[in-house]
Amino acid sequence: MNIKIFILSVVMSSVAFIANAVVDVSWSVIENAKVNDEYFYVQRFTVRNHYGVKRLCFNMFARKMEAVNPSDKVVEIIPGYYYIESNRFGNGEPLDIDIKVKGWIQSCNYAPDGLHAVTGDGHLLSVKYKRNSLLLSPELRNRPGRDVMTYGDSIYKFNETLKDDSPLGVYDIVPSFKSVKLGEGSYIGTGEIFTSKISHSNYEFYRISVSQDSIMIEGASEEAIKMAQRVLQNQLLAENGGKLPCAVIEDYPDYHYRALMIDVARNFISLPDVQKIVYQMASLRLNRLHFHLTDDEAWRIEIPGLPELTAVSSRRGYTLDESEFLAQIFAGDGNPNSTDGTANGYYTREEFIQFLMFCHSIGIEVIPEVDVPGHSRAAIKAMESRFRKTGDDTYRLCEDGDTSRYTSAQAFHDNLMNPALPGPYKFMEKVIDEISSMYKEAGVDLLGFHIGGDEVPEGAWDGSPSAIKMMQERGISGRHQLQGVFVRRMAEILSQKGIKMFGWQEIGVGYDDEFNKVVAPVTAGVNCWLTNSSKMKNVALRAIDSGFPVILSNVEHFYMDQLYASHPEERGLYWGGIVDEFVSLSGYPDELCPADSLGQTKILGVSGQLFGETIRSMAIVQRHLFPKVYGLAERAWNKDYTYSNAKFNQIIGAKLLPRLSLGGSAFHLRTPGIIIENGYVKINSAYPGAKIRYTLDGTDPDYNSPIYETPVPVGNAAEIRAVAYYLTEKSLVSLLYVK
């Protein structure tokens, strides 16, 4: 049976929907406090048109919460998925349900999402949801007494530092060329373009010689020549009407590994959309797609012979037992078969093969990641479903009678493969073999297989009879040494198949010399996301000292999913700090991993990470990436200083954002700055061509608000708000209170 038909039949038998039934819900924060050293806030759901409703379901990042009214209760289905029950549902009158939540709320990313309602007989009702802005009341966001929002005056001062009136040259691009020597005259687009292969120590070295009547491309490899052709055609000729100043350009990367990791497990991105990202990667001379295909929340690639992986674990919706599909997480409408949004979906074998061929054709090699032994909840649930239905325990990943108690970084308690069982290794061999066969059919080399290996929590396997027995037999103890057993076995499996291993930093630090001697030589790269200026605490240096090649993947510079700015309506996470295009530009490898002779030889390159927790659409993907990814591309190609912030911003505003806009891509637009000087309001933008609109009455500006052209009297205004419009984007609202 076709797998997608199978999925539909399962859904139709397990979930029912009531057409045109809509529950109206609005959300706001009504209290934010600290009592007896406990921080909490109260979120209010105002519910209308709730006839027949038994439960109101929603997603949030996992928090402890309780209903304020004794007539209501809130129940956790899984961490991050909740429902509210109330005996007040059903009378049709507007109903306020207040929920006390532990902690504080900094931004919209921590508000409820994925709302849907359930009737008493199990039918699903859609929800019309309105989230009230967190910009309205500073006392109702952030930790009480601590407002971390960046206000208009700070933005104004920073925008002033970005002014650069010097002319942009044709050859000012991102990433920047190593050397440009200008000549006399210009090439006007009618001469021939020649290519030639030359000898050079760097196999990605290329030279572009532009003369008045022709262009010569010389490269140390076919790969280098093709890359130079893309640069010439897509960035130089296309953007300058085919006319170029005569010049000799010499260029090469400082690192051969220049990557972007994309997480499609948490929230799904279709392959046509991923291809758009990959094409833009190639234009920035990035050359590796680290493809995060699986995690706790979903499994996104078809594995022949294990249909449950996609039938069960590529779908999320309303369920209390997860017997047919996973419980909804992050977003959705309760429907595990919905094709709208980002909750559901996977790549078929044939789709993935075609994708590999496309990526290879434009110089991007794909490194697949199947995250184990942690972050494996989706795989575990799928294989438990297989075991229940078939009785075949070949691929079981967990153990009956395991009483281990742990909480993962994402608050799960059931997401670990057990390294003392045979099932995980048989399962991974099957998955590796099937994915390897896709590469072979595509005619593309598999550069390595990423096993994840990160974030195994304390308490892992403490109550597993098999794990306890293994530790006794091998004379080892604890979570880390058990994880070492797993990593070492995975290295052996991959090595036997002639495949190199990649992993996160946890696979390369904290083990003994014997482990390092066996595992490091078959490891192609370790993504170090947490480094430190102290050499003793620097994970990258520790991994290097253990013999592992390091990929700098620092959260504080290269995590594309972190906030651009501290603004309550900004998309993104903040646990790793603020990361904008200038922070990524400042991620100098020699500072992140202090240079010495060993470090120089073992740093493979630089990788940016786009984790998917806050993704809800392709537009959000694009805004997370652009323009932040430009700083990543610059540092991956050129490890040393190249552009000032002002020049970099000038290139972004004048060249790169217009290119994105012309290609139909969304991008993040910086908010305008606001100051008050001598009774007048002054507003500026990071981009000279932006149009600024403002208000003085406390309302949010829109396209009908006044355009800022010259300073305006502040008058009796209590606050000033402004937005910027540039090309096809509108910024968030910038705010300044009048003191």
Side-chain angles (χ1 to χ4, degrees):
M1 175 183 285
N2 180 281
I3 188 70
K4 294 188 176 180
I5 296 174
F6 168 69
I7 289 174
L8 181 60
S9 68
V10 170
V11 172
M12 294 305 292
S13 65
S14 59
V15 180
F17 300 87
I18 297 178
N20 302 320
V22 178
V23 182
D24 194 306
V25 179
S26 62
W27 175 89
S28 57
V29 176
I30 63 168
E31 184 180 357
N32 188 27
K34 178 184 179 183
V35 177
N36 297 327
D37 292 326
E38 180 190 46
Y39 292 99
F40 71 89
Y41 63 94
V42 177
Q43 58 182 359
R44 171 169 289 174
F45 296 86
T46 299
V47 190
R48 299 176 179 84
N49 188 33
H50 47 88
Y51 293 105
V53 171
K54 179 183 180 183
R55 292 171 177 158
L56 178 66
C57 304
F58 62 96
N59 294 112
M60 277 177 54
F61 286 113
R63 296 278 181 91
K64 290 184 178 179
M65 60 183 82
E66 60 181 295
V68 173
N69 190 316
S71 297
D72 310 330
K73 70 175 181 178
V74 59
V75 176
E76 180 185 85
I77 301 173
I78 64 169
Y81 186 34
Y82 305 89
Y83 68 78
I84 297 168
E85 280 191 347
S86 175
N87 59 23
R88 299 187 292 150
F89 280 142
N91 61 20
E93 296 297 319
L95 174 64
D96 288 335
I97 297 177
D98 296 339
I99 305 294
K100 181 180 177 181
V101 185
K102 185 177 181 180
W104 58 88
I105 189 163
Q106 177 165 324
S107 73
C108 61
N109 303 281
Y110 296 84
D113 204 343
L115 276 74
H116 51 281
V118 184
T119 66
D121 58 1
H123 288 74
L124 293 181
L125 306 173
S126 60
V127 168
K128 182 182 179 182
Y129 175 48
K130 177 187 177 184
R131 178 182 59 78
N132 289 313
S133 172
L134 287 167
L135 194 62
L136 299 175
S137 304
E139 70 275 7
L140 295 178
R141 62 176 187 265
N142 304 304
R143 187 182 306 178
R146 183 170 175 259
D147 187 355
V148 299
M149 179 174 171
T150 305
Y151 285 97
D153 51 351
S154 296
I155 300 168
Y156 189 97
K157 293 174 185 176
F158 185 75
N159 285 347
E160 287 295 291
T161 70
L162 298 178
K163 287 185 176 179
D164 188 334
D165 297 326
S166 61
L168 270 181
V170 168
Y171 297 118
D172 290 329
I173 70 169
V174 173
S176 56
F177 294 127
K178 284 291 192 297
S179 169
V180 178
K181 295 179 180 178
L182 293 175
E184 297 294 330
S186 295
Y187 173 83
I188 59 173
T190 57
E192 288 192 70
I193 299 174
F194 302 96
T195 64
S196 175
K197 195 170 180 180
I198 60 174
S199 178
H200 196 276
S201 59
N202 188 321
Y203 68 85
E204 291 187 279
F205 173 89
Y206 63 85
R207 181 185 296 119
I208 302 175
S209 301
V210 181
S211 65
Q212 293 184 17
D213 55 2
S214 66
I215 296 176
M216 169 63 78
I217 294 174
E218 299 167 287
S221 63
E222 288 300 322
E223 180 182 12
I225 291 171
K226 289 179 180 179
M227 183 161 51
Q229 288 173 321
R230 288 193 294 270
V231 171
L232 177 65
Q233 295 292 344
N234 299 338
Q235 289 181 265
L236 299 179
L237 293 174
E239 293 189 0
N240 296 285
K243 183 177 179 180
L244 297 175
C246 291
V248 176
I249 300 163
E250 291 193 345
D251 201 21
Y252 56 88
D254 289 330
Y255 299 109
H256 294 304
Y257 189 102
R258 307 178 300 279
L260 180 64
M261 189 222 79
I262 299 178
D263 167 16
V264 296
R266 271 58 178 268
N267 282 288
F268 187 64
I269 308 172
S270 72
L271 278 184
D273 280 341
V274 178
Q275 286 186 189
K276 294 176 185 176
I277 299 169
V278 168
Y279 188 80
Q280 289 165 319
M281 285 174 60
S283 74
L284 295 171
R285 283 166 272 166
L286 298 172
N287 64 352
R288 301 288 185 265
L289 172 64
H290 172 176
F291 212 7
H292 192 87
L293 294 164
T294 76
D295 213 294
D296 293 320
E297 298 87 357
W299 184 282
R300 301 300 191 186
I301 185 167
E302 177 186 11
I303 301 297
L306 299 178
E308 298 83 6
L309 287 169
T310 46
V312 173
S313 292
S314 74
R315 302 185 299 129
R316 305 193 293 234
Y318 174 68
T319 173
L320 301 182
D321 62 10
E322 298 186 296
S323 60
E324 301 292 343
F325 49 84
L326 299 181
Q328 182 170 294
I329 193 75
F330 300 122
D333 58 8
N335 177 3
N337 199 44
S338 174
T339 56
D340 296 327
T342 57
N344 308 317
Y346 70 92
Y347 311 131
T348 67
R349 184 179 188 277
E350 185 55 37
E351 287 170 340
F352 192 69
I353 289 169
Q354 294 299 316
F355 175 72
L356 292 174
M357 295 168 66
F358 168 78
C359 292
H360 182 72
S361 73
I362 59 171
I364 305 291
E365 303 305 325
V366 181
I367 297 168
E369 180 182 356
V370 173
D371 203 347
V372 292
H375 289 279
S376 296
R377 190 175 188 274
I380 291 167
K381 292 295 181 182
M383 293 303 95
E384 286 300 282
S385 176
R386 177 187 180 88
F387 173 64
R388 286 193 304 270
K389 292 179 179 179
T390 68
D392 180 4
D393 66 355
T394 302
Y395 300 115
R396 283 196 83 187
L397 308 175
C398 58
E399 178 182 33
D400 293 332
D402 186 344
T403 60
S404 304
R405 299 183 67 180
Y406 59 85
T407 300
S408 76
Q410 285 73 34
F412 292 113
H413 316 294
D414 55 355
N415 76 331
L416 297 175
M417 291 184 181
N418 192 321
L421 301 177
Y425 306 111
K426 293 176 182 177
F427 173 82
M428 287 303 293
E429 280 210 69
K430 170 68 172 173
V431 170
I432 292 165
D433 286 344
E434 292 295 343
I435 291 178
S436 296
S437 74
M438 298 179 204
Y439 279 78
K440 289 175 183 175
E441 192 163 327
V444 174
D445 290 337
L446 175 58
L447 300 184
F449 192 97
H450 203 294
I451 68 162
D454 59 319
E455 296 187 323
V456 173
E458 290 293 338
W461 311 301
D462 284 357
S464 160
S466 294
I468 292 169
K469 181 181 178 184
M470 172 182 276
M471 287 189 287
Q472 291 171 344
E473 291 175 348
R474 299 195 180 195
I476 61 175
S477 63
R479 162 189 62 91
H480 188 68
Q481 290 188 324
L482 277 172
Q483 184 175 2
V485 170
F486 183 88
V487 172
R488 182 166 176 168
R489 180 68 184 123
M490 289 305 306
E492 291 169 351
I493 290 170
L494 288 164
S495 181
Q496 289 165 5
K497 299 176 185 297
I499 301 171
K500 289 282 190 177
M501 182 172 72
F502 287 86
W504 294 103
Q505 64 188 35
E506 287 89 334
I507 76 163
V509 293
Y511 300 104
D512 59 28
D513 290 342
E514 199 236 339
F515 174 95
N516 296 336
K517 201 172 291 184
V518 171
V519 177
V522 299
T523 301
V526 174
N527 293 88
C528 292
W529 57 271
L530 182 64
T531 61
N532 191 288
S533 57
S534 165
K535 290 192 177 184
M536 293 297 292
K537 297 180 181 178
N538 192 299
V539 175
L541 284 176
R542 289 170 60 197
I544 288 170
D545 287 343
S546 297
F548 289 87
V550 160
I551 302 160
L552 295 176
S553 310
N554 300 66
V555 60
E556 67 268 32
H557 289 280
F558 303 134
Y559 270 42
M560 305 287 109
D561 53 291
Q562 298 296 294
L563 291 169
Y564 274 93
S566 187
H567 188 293
E569 294 300 312
E570 187 80 69
R571 298 296 301 184
L573 302 178
Y574 66 86
W575 67 270
I578 302 301
V579 181
D580 65 9
E581 58 269 39
F582 306 110
V583 173
S584 61
L585 180 68
S586 69
Y588 295 102
D590 284 348
E591 295 178 9
L592 301 178
C593 185
D596 54 39
S597 59
L598 185 60
Q600 292 285 356
T601 59
K602 283 290 188 176
I603 296 175
L604 288 183
V606 176
S607 175
Q609 285 64 238
L610 178 59
F611 284 105
E613 289 96 331
T614 60
I615 290 172
R616 300 293 182 270
S617 66
M618 183 56 176
I620 292 175
V621 170
Q622 292 166 331
R623 291 188 181 108
H624 276 321
L625 290 175
F626 306 112
K628 192 179 304 187
V629 76
Y630 297 134
L632 166 74
E634 186 66 33
R635 288 289 75 84
W637 190 266
N638 297 298
K639 68 175 184 175
D640 297 321
Y641 178 89
T642 48
Y643 291 127
S644 67
N645 282 356
K647 180 58 68 176
F648 187 62
N649 184 71
Q650 187 185 24
I651 296 169
I652 288 173
K655 292 186 176 184
L656 299 176
L657 299 188
R659 184 195 305 168
L660 291 171
S661 182
L662 188 63
S665 176
F667 56 87
H668 180 273
L669 184 62
R670 302 184 72 85
T671 53
I674 310 168
I675 60 168
I676 299 171
E677 272 188 0
N678 302 319
Y680 281 83
V681 177
K682 298 174 70 175
I683 311 175
N684 66 3
S685 169
Y687 309 113
K691 184 176 291 185
I692 299 169
R693 295 182 181 269
Y694 70 95
T695 60
L696 304 178
D697 61 1
T699 62
D700 286 349
D702 58 23
Y703 203 73
N704 297 312
S705 301
I707 296 174
Y708 176 81
E709 294 176 324
T710 59
V712 296
V714 67
N716 296 320
E719 60 183 70
I720 301 102
R721 298 187 179 214
V723 295
Y725 292 86
Y726 186 53
L727 302 168
T728 48
E729 288 292 332
K730 175 186 175 182
S731 76
L732 294 175
V733 175
S734 188
L735 171 64
L736 182 67
Y737 293 113
V738 179
K739 297 179 181 178

